[in-house]
Amino acid sequence: DERDGDAGYEKRYHTYAPSLVARAVHLLRDPFDNLVSRFHHEQKEHAKKGKNAWSSRYSNDVFGFRRWCADEDREYAAAEREADWAAYGHPADLHRRFEGVSCHGELFRYVQWHALAMEAADALDVPVLHMYYEDYSSDLKGETGRMLDFLGLERREERLPEFDSEKDYSAFFTREERAIASDFMRRVASGGARELLERYWVELDFELLRKQTKSIK
């Protein structure tokens, strides 16, 4: 258990027997939107704990987000350089791939989480349904039906609630930053995770960059 008397809440962690798992639903979300959502979660957690200094340093906007990423990158840089990455099955010089990638620690954890989720399902030898958060916006009824069918649950002819997906985090990353981060995640992801996340990769528009460079000259 994790208790925080000052914040007035308590967290409890539970486990259950792996034999109870018959099927798995693996939900994926755009890594960039997921990262901004993580930042907002940190905002809420620190506010609940009354940590005003944290909230003062990291305003709940693009500026605060970028400052948070920069501080995270600096805080763990030494530990990343000294880590024995090979012992965990990664290239020994993995830390070099972090260079120039904003919030690389969070992005690395994102990729690893999905890779480990796939490994867990393989170890349990259970059927897996892969779903994408963004598809709820385009076809909530269809995606809900697909999940219910997979789980063997009955469909009810009830009107589904509206899916709130109006959040726009496009301003939190430039296209170039997304492309650099995409290349980083592509390099550190395992084969299965790389394939699942491929729809989120952003490529640099070299033709546009060429035109922009010419206009500067």
Side-chain angles (χ1 to χ4, degrees), residues 48-64:
K48 281 195 295 187
K49 295 178 181 179
K51 296 185 177 180
N52 298 324
W54 194 97
S55 300
S56 295
R57 178 162 179 78
Y58 306 116
S59 53
N60 194 21
D61 53 21
V62 175
F63 178 79

Side-chain angles (χ1 to χ4, degrees), residues 2-212:
E2 180 181 302
R3 295 180 176 83
D4 192 322
D6 295 333
Y9 74 92
E10 175 181 319
K11 286 184 179 179
R12 291 189 176 185
Y13 299 90
H14 300 277
T15 60
Y16 49 84
S19 59
L20 295 175
V21 181
R23 294 173 179 272
V25 176
H26 184 172
L27 179 65
L28 301 99
R29 186 183 184 185
D30 181 293
F32 304 103
D33 289 352
N34 187 79
L35 181 48
V36 177
S37 183
R38 276 271 302 114
F39 171 65
H40 291 158
H41 174 73
E42 289 293 315
Q43 284 271 348
K44 293 175 183 176
E45 285 296 300
H46 283 83
K48 281 195 295 187
K49 295 178 181 179
K51 296 185 177 180
N52 298 324
W54 194 97
S55 300
S56 295
R57 178 162 179 78
Y58 306 116
S59 53
N60 194 21
D61 53 21
V62 175
F63 178 79
F65 172 76
R66 287 181 169 276
R67 172 177 273 185
W68 176 66
C69 283
D71 285 355
E72 288 259 311
D73 292 344
R74 276 193 298 269
E75 182 176 355
Y76 300 107
E80 290 166 354
R81 286 193 299 271
E82 296 168 6
D84 184 2
W85 294 107
Y88 298 98
H90 299 294
D93 63 346
L94 179 65
H95 63 281
R96 295 188 182 279
R97 298 182 181 179
F98 296 158
E99 296 173 4
V101 182
S102 178
C103 252
H104 58 259
E106 291 289 337
L107 293 170
F108 181 70
R109 281 189 285 274
Y110 168 90
V111 171
Q112 289 298 295
W113 190 96
H114 287 294
L116 291 172
M118 296 179 71
E119 287 182 19
D122 286 343
L124 292 170
D125 194 25
V126 295
V128 182
L129 174 66
H130 300 292
M131 303 186 73
Y132 293 92
Y133 178 88
E134 295 77 20
D135 291 345
Y136 291 149
S137 298
S138 57
D139 186 13
L140 179 59
K141 184 176 181 180
E143 288 301 293
T144 302
R146 193 162 72 95
M147 181 167 60
L148 291 174
D149 289 343
F150 174 75
L151 297 174
L153 298 176
E154 180 183 355
R155 298 192 189 203
R156 295 181 179 178
E157 295 302 320
E158 296 179 1
R159 187 173 183 274
L160 293 171
E162 292 294 325
F163 181 68
D164 180 15
S165 61
E166 298 303 315
K167 301 179 180 67
D168 181 9
Y169 298 143
S170 58
F172 284 74
F173 296 90
T174 66
R175 182 172 180 82
E176 287 74 16
E177 288 171 333
R178 289 172 186 267
I180 291 169
S182 295
D183 182 64
F184 164 71
M185 288 186 284
R186 186 186 293 114
R187 290 171 180 269
V188 299
S190 60
R194 188 182 305 117
E195 185 176 340
L196 281 178
L197 297 170
E198 187 174 2
R199 68 185 283 178
Y200 296 124
W201 303 151
V202 175
E203 304 293 340
L204 276 177
D205 187 338
F206 289 103
E207 180 62 23
L208 177 61
L209 288 176
R210 185 181 64 79
K211 291 179 181 178
Q212 290 175 337

